[in-house]
Amino acid sequence: MADALPIRIQLRIVTPDRELVEGEVNEVSIPGKEGYLGVLPGHAPLLTELHSGMLTYRQDEMDFHIAIHWGFAEVLPDRVIILADTAERAEDIDVDRADRARHRAEKRLEHPSEDEAEIQEAREALRRAICRLETARHAKS
Ligand code: ATP
């Protein structure tokens, strides 16, 4: 007899500093490099690079949002493992700090140096800041 399909996903989200999430969820939306990837139990195995974006998971009818920045996701039928460079829960995002980071990055891009690496770094900083600001809007009060 074929194995029964899993009905939940074991989700683990870790950064080099900490573990943010370890638990059973119903579904996950992952900001992959090729776009958002919706994962339900029983998904085909895959490995994908992450983009800067908002990860959402559903647990007991509630949605939770996390800003994640780069890294990798491993998807298995009953498990999703996210290894992100940095990650913050919507509720933990310091909006003033992200706003300051956005202004700094915008200023750097208004008067860009000749150095392509510096311009790229400012673009990444801007992307992280915008992602944090957007994710923070989904914070549960
Ligand atoms: P900043 O210039 O404000 O430090 P950054 O984008 O350079 O922003 P990162 O290097 O991506 O910051 O992150 C450094 C650490 O600070 C990480 O642990 C990250 O999760 C955390 N962090 C960065 N910005 C915020 C924020 N606005 N709210 C909460 N945590 C943050």
Side-chain angles (χ1 to χ4, degrees):
M1 201 173 81
D3 287 344
L5 274 182
I7 52 166
R8 308 260 272 176
I9 298 166
Q10 187 69 29
L11 175 65
R12 182 153 188 247
I13 303 179
V14 290
T15 71
D17 316 322
R18 59 197 173 125
E19 181 174 83
L20 257 88
V21 176
E22 165 78 89
E24 288 207 325
V25 306
N26 308 96
E27 58 182 283
V28 193
S29 163
I30 301 168
K33 229 176 166 190
E34 315 293 330
Y36 276 84
L37 174 71
V39 177
L40 290 167
H43 197 286
L46 64 86
L47 194 61
T48 185
E49 260 186 86
L50 299 170
H51 206 277
S52 205
M54 185 171 79
L55 178 147
T56 301
Y57 63 90
R58 176 161 283 197
Q59 196 170 41
D60 303 328
E61 310 294 316
M62 290 235 298
D63 285 336
F64 296 87
H65 305 282
I66 296 185
I68 61 171
H69 313 278
W70 306 106
F72 292 91
E74 183 181 20
V75 175
L76 296 167
D78 62 348
R79 219 171 325 148
V80 170
I81 301 157
I82 305 284
L83 304 170
D85 287 1
T86 63
E88 304 93 32
R89 288 181 176 280
E91 293 73 21
D92 296 337
I93 291 171
D94 178 337
V95 172
D96 289 343
R97 174 176 169 183
D99 220 19
R100 287 195 301 274
R102 177 166 65 104
H103 280 295
R104 267 198 314 277
E106 282 172 347
K107 281 245 144 28
R108 283 167 70 192
L109 291 168
E110 269 171 30
H111 308 287
S113 69
E114 299 282 300
D115 186 345
E116 189 51 42
E118 275 185 30
I119 296 171
Q120 193 54 32
E121 198 185 288
R123 284 202 194 110
E124 292 303 331
L126 181 59
R127 204 167 278 154
R128 289 196 299 275
I130 289 172
C131 171
R132 285 174 177 134
L133 291 169
E134 284 178 359
T135 304
R137 288 176 31 216
H138 295 265
K140 290 169 191 33
S141 47

